[in-house]
Amino acid sequence: MTAKILGPGATVGILGDGQLGRMLALAAARLGLRTHVFGQEVDSPASQVATAATRAAYDDLAALDRFAAAVDVVTLEFENIPTATLDHLAPQVPTRPGAHVLRVTQDRLLEKDFVTATGGTTAGYRAVDSLADLESAIDALGLPAVLKTRRFGYDGKGQVKISARDEAGAAWARLGPAPCILEAWVPFERELSVIVARGVDGAITSYVPVENRHEHHILAVTLAPAGIPQDVAAAATAIAEAITARLDVTGLLAVEMFLTADGRVIVNELAPRTHNSGHWTIEGAATSQFEQQLRAVCGMPLGSPAVIAPAEMRNLIGDAAHDWPKYLADPRAKLHLYGKAEARPGRKMGHVTWLKDR
Ligand code: AMP
């Protein structure tokens, strides 16, 4: 059976209500699609611009049933949606990506096993469920290493670097008894990401690899394209596409990677959604990542990911958003603000993109 193509007038349900949902809803409006966001925040970034919004918990089955009845397809902007939520929705409405994707990408151990099974390289890793496991993982992997919770980590949260053996107890006291993994430290030269789109029919297309610079564990700047040799870009793209196909993603998969000084590409993390490192595509690519996700989940043909002009994207974090008049005065800056009332430290409030001359 060929899947139905959803076109203008259709309603896309979005699980999650942050800035990614907001930009998805804005892109949907341009394509004549309606959006209905499902999230928990009052006056959320996405609900401010979506056609409709439901504010409810992800385990509120009655609210999920009403949501399913009101939309033509369900996608997501947040990867920690409980898989039970998608399992409940799936018999009622197509969910793209499906729960099988989240099961892998929500768990760092399953994720690394999956990448390895697909032929990708990861940092050395071991499952850690006790202090004794941690001690033997340190024996196996050496130091420095990073202890990470298997689930619910983001922007450096839920992880502790261990540089000396006597730090193991304190690290386990901080993160245990949550199931963890220990990862060998990767002395990387750069951080890269590749965003892959895969349609309902299995068609795949990718944006160029980009370089990401972090400050205080949060993405600060993305440079697109990454200044890397062709063969490295090809290798990064090939592994990202192989993972996307094998994981049977419908929608987007963002693949974060480390590049070592000797040219090895090491996969760090997967996110089955639009990604902060893809915001440059709004101005810098023929099709934005937000439009691409909508095309993919609606069964429309995928758009061209071609670079229109090299771009630099800078996040506006916390108080940096108060500088908005400065960016409005810069004729080359494209300002995006997410409608968040309070500029708390570490909070992503907006971003700015500059297109460069080729
Ligand atoms: P993650 O939450 O896994 O994306 O990690 C957040 C950031 O911590 C990464 O973007 C890296 O800058 C750093 N990091 C995480 N894991 C490692 C590792 N195994 N080796 C070196 N740096 C790491």
Side-chain angles (χ1 to χ4, degrees), residues 108 112 123 145-146 148 153-157 159 183-188 191 214 217 256 258 268-269:
R108 291 184 189 275
K112 284 196 163 46
V146 201
K148 299 183 180 179
Y154 70 98
D155 287 349
K157 291 186 175 61
Q159 50 184 280
E183 270 182 45
W185 187 254
V186 179
F188 60 83
E191 292 190 71
H214 293 81
H217 289 286
E256 297 178 20
F258 301 127
N268 176 36
E269 265 203 311

Side-chain angles (χ1 to χ4, degrees), residues 179-263:
C180 288
I181 63 168
L182 188 72
E183 270 182 45
W185 187 254
V186 179
F188 60 83
E189 197 178 69
R190 296 170 197 235
E191 292 190 71
L192 307 175
S193 57
V194 175
I195 299 174
V196 183
R198 185 164 175 271
V200 172
D201 59 358
I204 280 195
T205 185
S206 304
Y207 292 97
V208 287
V210 299
E211 175 173 347
N212 300 315
R213 300 199 177 146
H214 293 81
E215 289 166 15
H216 313 293
H217 289 286
I218 303 175
L219 182 67
V221 173
T222 294
L223 300 172
I228 53 175
Q230 258 309 317
D231 58 332
V232 174
T237 304
I239 186 60
E241 292 188 350
I243 295 166
T244 304
R246 191 161 190 269
L247 198 48
D248 190 22
V249 174
T250 303
L252 300 189
L253 188 74
V255 183
E256 297 178 20
M257 305 165 187
F258 301 127
L259 176 63
T260 61
D262 57 358

